[in-house]
Amino acid sequence: QVQLVESGGGLVQAGGSLRLSCAVSGRTDRSYTMGWFRQAPGKEREFVATINWSGGSTHYTDSVKGRFTISRDNAKNTVYLQMNSLKPEDTAVYYCAARRPAQRNYNYWGQGTQVTVSS
């Protein structure tokens, strides 16, 4: 079992930047693939980015490529999402999630952090 707590959300103007953090606690001795997802009002939750245990492999949804960067510091048990050149359409609740590498679905989720981008 792992527990995930997101932080770093807030209100920012279009073109601005935010860095989200996800603190991981619990069974941190196991390797987990980490992901960021988001859910905008009235929309389904969507994948944003993922990073493997070593940090050597990352993937992004097309709409954030070149603007967002996912990273992790395993010594600090923390995963980050650096978001630059933010757009109003990035407004959503952002969720951190974890899964074991051999599993397809993410089993563990944080409570989410609100990101609001004003135009």
Side-chain angles (χ1 to χ4, degrees), residues 56-103:
S57 177
T58 59
H59 298 279
Y60 301 88
T61 192
D62 286 345
S63 62
V64 308
K65 284 181 180 178
R67 299 189 298 122
F68 290 11
T69 303
I70 188 171
S71 63
R72 67 191 298 165
D73 185 338
N74 289 336
K76 296 183 178 179
N77 295 320
T78 303
V79 181
Y80 305 98
L81 185 67
Q82 178 67 44
M83 306 186 295
N84 298 329
S85 302
L86 282 162
K87 304 176 181 179
E89 51 264 44
D90 294 319
T91 295
V93 177
Y94 283 71
Y95 297 91
C96 177
R99 64 174 176 85
R100 295 301 305 278
Q103 296 175 327

Side-chain angles (χ1 to χ4, degrees), residues 3-94:
Q3 293 78 46
L4 309 174
V5 178
E6 304 95 333
S7 61
L11 174 64
V12 63
Q13 289 188 333
S17 298
L18 282 175
R19 188 177 80 157
L20 305 183
S21 298
C22 173
V24 183
S25 60
R27 291 299 302 269
T28 57
D29 58 309
R30 293 183 174 182
S31 60
Y32 289 94
T33 294
M34 302 298 297
W36 285 98
F37 293 75
R38 66 186 180 186
Q39 187 167 19
K43 295 186 177 181
E44 294 187 354
R45 186 166 56 193
E46 65 171 350
F47 165 79
V48 176
T50 186
I51 187 168
N52 70 342
W53 168 249
S54 68
S57 177
T58 59
H59 298 279
Y60 301 88
T61 192
D62 286 345
S63 62
V64 308
K65 284 181 180 178
R67 299 189 298 122
F68 290 11
T69 303
I70 188 171
S71 63
R72 67 191 298 165
D73 185 338
N74 289 336
K76 296 183 178 179
N77 295 320
T78 303
V79 181
Y80 305 98
L81 185 67
Q82 178 67 44
M83 306 186 295
N84 298 329
S85 302
L86 282 162
K87 304 176 181 179
E89 51 264 44
D90 294 319
T91 295
V93 177
Y94 283 71

